[in-house]
Amino acid sequence: MRTVQHWIDGKLWDGAPQRSGDVFDPSTGQVQAHVALAGGTEIAAAVESARQAFLEWRDVPLSRRVRILFAFREVMERRKDELAAAISAEHGKVVSDALGEVGRGQEVVEFACGIPHVLKGGYSESVSMGTDVHSIRQPLGVVAGITPFNFPAMVPMWMFPVAIACGNAFVLKPSDRDPSASLVIAELWAEAGLPAGVFTVLQGDKEAVDGLLGHPDVRAVSFVGSTPVARYVYETAAANGKRVQALGGAKNHMVVLPDADLEQAADAAVSAGYGSAGERCMAISVVVAVGDVADALVQEIATRTRAVQVGPSREPRSEMGPLVTAGHRDRVRGYVDGGVGEGAELVVDGRETAVPDEGFFLGPCLFDRVTPSMALYRDEIFGPVLSVVRVETYEEAVQLVSDNPYGNGVAIFTRDGGAARRFEREVDAGMVGVNVPIPVPMAYYSFGGWKQSLFGDTHVHGPEGVHFYTRGKVVTSRWADPASDPAGRGPDLGFPRT
Ligand code: NAD
């Protein structure tokens, strides 16, 4: 059986793994490969190769760096079906969804192609006699990215195009559940002409993460994953003196006001709730129905939920694939069982959806009359479970969202521009959609939530990504001005010259 290896120093690692894990095909439930899990030897080799590569890469002129980024973008465009197939086969999302993920990641590559412009410093002339000040931004060195299973290509691409464009060497530690996409990406970089060691893949689990967090040559850590691990990574990396941004879990609400276009809102709830089987950090998991909109809205959502085609990710007619592992499917199912026990009304029971016998499937589930005290509401479920909470007023809806410990994304559906504007200003979350259920910022803005959805203060990609992967330096220089100093003695330095 195939073993998914590390990519170190521009090639596949050829050492036999001390430990390995299973990689499943979620559509069949079968093990389809093993993944090497890094130990001390591989961690040391990966970081050392990246450190050596950085020493040369930081001096490669911007114009050459950018040509490699453009080439990477073109190679990816040509091989995007291959990348999407690798994602779909191990994650279980349908191929069209995997292609969408590649496209969103590619936008960050395109942003990074413009790095010469965003890396420009500032200049102040004549701050004092013969004295000017300018600022520059320099790369950090070896930087690490630790990423989740749910976007095995896009989330790493939130990080490495910007990190590499800024002159750093990047070590990616992908999820061990769907590790193959990272190797396709490594091949794309090689084909684009990136020098060996500038992009490294270290496969592994907690041991690899801890190895990177403790390594003195790793200068910065970008993490995306669940909140408990985000908090751990943030605290450990910071305690080790590293720069760190750690994006955590989510519980995204979609507020529907009584004046909303119900059909539009219902379409949005279904695609944002069940797309990728709800395994998206920006998935909608709570619909907040305000006032008298609830009965009609629940009916519209239910009709659409029943129509979602669940099936193997490779089948073109499938709209929703399986969950990533049997364990995760059982955990999500546990919330459905628990929700019924807690008294929520199960309007569509995905446990009864006709699904293939093999594979980690669960049909889409819709609950109504969910209350904030229920586990169904409190916890991040990360599966195809949509909860409707009924409130009387706009104010109650905003309070509900703001009281939630997560603050990743939130949406409002309304025809009232004033209400939307007020919501945008008042709501306690990092990314807001107005009649847009998944308000993922474009690559030239930065992505990040608030509260327990982000530890650290810097969001990923866009301008904040550039800031994260560079250090500022300010230079103050004083030179004699021949016109005002014909003797050429130069300004008074405060000490005698010979
Ligand atoms: P996860 O936290 O289990 O894993 C994320 C990464 O951390 C993986 O590389 C994994 O190998 C590693 N890891 C896991 N346990 C660890 C431990 N104990 N110590 C050190 N490292 C550990 O997350 P996941 O299940 O892969 O992904 C789903 C989660 O990611 C959800 O909570 C989702 O909301 C979140 N997510 C958030 C965003 C965002 O932008 N905020 C984006 C995507 C996913």
Side-chain angles (χ1 to χ4, degrees), residues 59-229:
D59 290 332
V60 171
L62 267 178
S63 52
R64 240 198 83 208
R65 272 192 235 157
V66 162
R67 273 198 289 275
I68 293 173
L69 278 155
F70 273 109
F72 178 70
R73 193 249 169 236
E74 291 311 304
V75 177
M76 186 186 298
E77 179 62 26
R78 190 159 33 78
R79 293 177 61 178
K80 66 182 175 196
D81 290 334
E82 185 188 339
L83 183 53
I87 296 167
S88 173
E90 294 179 357
H91 175 285
K93 66 178 74 176
V94 297
V95 174
S96 56
D97 206 9
L99 273 170
E101 154 169 11
V102 173
R104 287 317 297 262
Q106 209 171 15
E107 289 170 5
V108 183
V109 180
E110 288 159 1
F111 168 78
C113 286
I115 203 76
H117 185 67
V118 286
L119 263 190
K120 282 178 191 163
Y123 199 100
S124 300
E125 188 187 33
S126 282
V127 294
S128 176
M129 275 298 284
T131 306
D132 307 322
V133 176
H134 70 273
S135 65
I136 52 179
R137 299 206 67 86
Q138 295 188 314
L140 306 176
V142 179
V143 299
I146 299 159
T147 54
F149 81 85
N150 67 323
F151 285 109
M154 184 188 76
V155 169
M157 281 195 274
W158 283 352
M159 305 169 180
F160 67 69
V162 179
I164 289 175
C166 289
N168 300 283
F170 188 90
V171 178
L172 171 63
K173 205 304 281 172
S175 169
D176 52 339
R177 282 178 266 177
D178 45 13
S180 292
S182 61
L183 291 186
V184 178
I185 291 170
E187 286 177 16
L188 304 184
W189 272 125
E191 195 179 334
L194 189 74
V198 178
F199 179 78
T200 297
V201 179
L202 189 67
Q203 308 287 2
D205 53 9
K206 180 171 168 49
E207 188 172 338
V209 173
D210 286 342
L212 292 169
L213 297 181
H215 201 299
D217 288 332
V218 174
R219 302 282 184 227
V221 177
S222 300
F223 172 89
V224 176
S226 59
T227 287
V229 185

